[in-house]
Amino acid sequence: MSTNTTHRETETERAENEQEHHCPECGGNLETDESQAETVCADCGLVVDEDAIDRGPEWRAFDAGEKDQKSRVGAPTTKMMHDDGLSTNIGWQNKDAYGNQLSASQREKMQRLRTWNERFRTRDHKERNLKQALGEIDRMASALGLPENVRETASVIYRQALDKDLLPGRSIEGISTASLHAAARMGNVPRSLDEMSAVSRVDQATFKRAYRYIVRELKLEVQPADPLEYLPRFASDLELDDETERRARELLETAKRQNVHSGKSPVGLAAAAIYAAGVLTNNALTQSEVSAATDMSEVTIRNRYQELLQAAETGPTASAA
């Protein structure tokens, strides 16, 4: 096809589109009246189209709860599933639409359909890899109590690693753990290395190598962990009162201003701040209780505890105390 012919076809399509948006009688602009389901000319009032299809729901809702209850749409797409949640899932319940149990022959048929459905959902080795990895991420995130936005971020990070061909020579479990750890740090809900290793299927050394690798290769902007980010979770686990938690936060803020936190474990500093705050507020907290809740040794808590108290004595909180 020549260039002139293509150009003429383009001009024809443009002219047809302009005619669709202008009145055929006077050439005025057309407006759509949603309430009357009509398209009329704004200048001469000619009804160009009527009985337009209403694509909205046929029901009415008067509040958000009623709207959600009457809505009949499917689940939203998600990066936590290898096919973005767009494929069909056959439920495991052997019941029909009325809740009645299926017969033996129907159960066998449904089982065969489930098997073939699972085979068709993963077309190649990359999708099988992704399905296994996203399952691992979801399992570990559930065990660690991480929110859905962190799971979504971890899924996106793993997909990027898979697209950039970073997996050869590394285990699926290692990259999955590293992706989740990075996502938790980026979402300001970090988990310690020991916590990650406890739920992972790989050892800590393998997971740390994988984490450094994907952060470097994907150029992820992961900020250093802040001890203050661990404080609310530990305080909740230990059922601290507001005064003790506030004092622990002040101790950590003072230590950060004096650069005491540099080179120290943020989890250890958070644990020591809780213990120190308990001592200062006469809260009956023992080192063993704090150690069990934070998974830090009592030796580390004692060492960081002394450093936090020294920083508090020379910092601005000393006068406030």
Side-chain angles (χ1 to χ4, degrees):
M1 184 181 292
S2 64
T3 305
N4 293 334
T5 304
T6 305
H7 183 66
R8 282 196 300 271
E9 289 181 354
T10 304
E11 289 183 346
T12 303
E13 292 176 358
R14 189 182 299 113
E16 290 176 353
N17 291 333
E18 290 178 355
Q19 290 177 0
E20 290 179 359
H21 294 86
H22 291 84
C23 177
E25 292 290 336
C26 67
N29 293 325
L30 299 180
E31 293 181 351
T32 302
D33 186 354
E34 298 289 349
S35 61
Q36 301 295 328
E38 293 177 344
T39 302
V40 299
C41 176
D43 298 332
C44 67
L46 176 68
V47 179
V48 179
D49 190 19
E50 61 181 350
D51 298 330
I53 298 175
D54 184 4
R55 302 188 183 277
E58 81 284 359
W59 42 262
R60 293 189 301 169
F62 300 98
D63 55 38
E66 190 176 357
K67 180 179 180 181
D68 293 338
Q69 185 179 8
K70 291 184 175 181
S71 179
R72 294 191 297 273
V73 297
T77 58
T78 173
K79 293 298 182 183
M80 292 188 292
M81 298 183 69
H82 72 283
D83 51 14
D84 293 340
L86 296 175
S87 63
T88 301
N89 288 323
I90 301 177
W92 57 268
Q93 299 94 341
N94 289 317
K95 295 181 179 180
D96 60 15
Y98 300 99
N100 300 322
Q101 290 288 342
L102 299 180
S103 64
S105 61
Q106 288 175 322
R107 287 198 298 270
E108 291 179 3
K109 179 180 179 181
M110 293 306 300
Q111 186 57 43
R112 287 196 299 271
L113 288 174
R114 290 190 192 98
T115 301
W116 281 107
N117 183 57
E118 285 299 316
R119 291 174 181 174
F120 285 128
R121 284 182 65 188
T122 52
R123 293 169 296 181
D124 52 30
H125 71 282
K126 289 189 69 174
E127 287 197 356
R128 287 192 294 272
N129 180 311
L130 190 58
K131 182 180 178 182
Q132 179 181 347
L134 297 183
E136 275 293 295
I137 289 174
D138 190 56
R139 179 188 65 80
M140 292 186 291
S142 297
L144 293 170
L146 293 172
E148 186 172 342
N149 66 306
V150 173
R151 305 181 192 204
E152 289 274 0
T153 304
S155 302
V156 172
I157 292 174
Y158 189 91
R159 288 171 183 269
Q160 292 176 349
L162 187 62
D163 291 339
K164 290 183 177 292
D165 204 25
L166 301 182
L167 266 72
R170 292 168 178 83
S171 67
I172 294 174
E173 292 81 4
I175 299 295
S176 301
T177 309
S179 300
L180 185 61
H181 183 56
R185 293 272 295 271
M186 295 167 70
N188 296 325
V189 284
R191 296 296 185 265
S192 66
L193 296 177
D194 292 334
E195 289 176 303
M196 296 298 302
S197 299
V199 299
S200 177
R201 299 184 192 275
V202 296
D203 58 87
Q204 189 172 130
T206 302
F207 141 59
K208 288 166 68 175
R209 281 197 302 269
Y211 172 73
R212 290 192 296 266
Y213 178 64
I214 65 168
V215 168
R216 182 179 68 250
E217 295 297 324
L218 298 179
K219 297 180 173 59
L220 300 177
E221 297 182 1
V222 182
Q223 300 297 326
D226 191 336
L228 290 170
E229 294 174 349
Y230 294 91
L231 189 60
R233 181 162 58 92
F234 293 159
S236 177
D237 293 341
L238 290 166
E239 299 180 352
L240 298 183
D241 55 69
D242 293 341
E243 182 184 1
T244 305
E245 184 177 353
R246 178 181 58 81
R247 195 60 185 271
R249 187 175 297 275
E250 291 175 353
L251 288 171
L252 288 176
E253 290 173 348
T254 303
K256 287 175 62 179
R257 283 193 293 269
Q258 299 188 27
N259 205 31
V260 174
H261 69 297
S262 179
K264 307 290 195 312
S265 166
V267 183
L269 284 172
I274 289 175
Y275 176 68
V279 173
L280 295 175
T281 59
N282 295 322
N283 194 325
L285 272 178
T286 64
Q287 292 181 7
S288 60
E289 289 175 339
V290 177
S291 174
T294 60
D295 200 23
M296 295 299 298
S297 68
E298 296 183 25
V299 175
T300 301
I301 293 175
R302 282 195 294 271
N303 292 338
R304 300 291 91 82
Y305 160 74
Q306 296 293 338
E307 295 171 359
L308 290 176
L309 289 184
Q310 290 175 5
E313 290 175 358
T314 58
T317 56
S319 58

